[in-house]
Amino acid sequence: MIKLMLQHAKKHPGLIPQFFFMTLGITGATLYLIRLARGPHVTLWDKKNNPEPWNQLDPTYQYKFVAINADYKNLKKQGPDF
């Protein structure tokens, strides 16, 4: 597949930016999915040692990648400690 892409790039140099940005997009999407899968609130990987990891998170933990309107530093825990 890579050999075929290189042959096309040699014949049509205009395809080189398309291959570059396509590879960049696939790499970025893959890294973001890995980041999501390794988050502290995911129970998929370690169900025996930590079945409910969201109970151990600090109330000031920023859940979202980008928080526009929320200031997580000033949040206080609402509820009992288990």
Side-chain angles (χ1 to χ4, degrees):
M1 176 110 176
I2 294 175
K3 185 178 179 181
L4 183 65
M5 285 176 51
L6 291 175
Q7 288 174 353
H8 282 290
K10 286 180 184 176
K11 290 180 185 176
H12 308 286
L15 291 176
I16 294 173
Q18 181 180 1
F19 290 146
F20 173 74
F21 286 111
M22 207 167 69
T23 305
L24 185 69
I26 290 170
T27 304
T30 303
L31 291 175
Y32 185 67
L33 286 175
I34 290 171
R35 179 189 176 272
L36 287 176
R38 294 180 51 98
H41 51 279
V42 178
T43 60
L44 181 65
W45 312 117
D46 192 11
K47 292 181 182 177
K48 292 180 182 176
N49 294 333
N50 197 4
E52 295 179 347
W54 51 85
N55 286 336
Q56 296 177 357
L57 293 178
D58 190 36
T60 60
Y61 176 76
Q62 183 174 345
Y63 291 95
K64 295 187 176 185
F65 188 64
V66 176
I68 296 172
N69 294 329
D71 186 17
Y72 288 95
K73 293 178 183 175
N74 296 330
L75 288 178
K76 294 186 176 46
K77 186 174 183 181
Q78 298 174 1
D81 290 328
F82 291 107

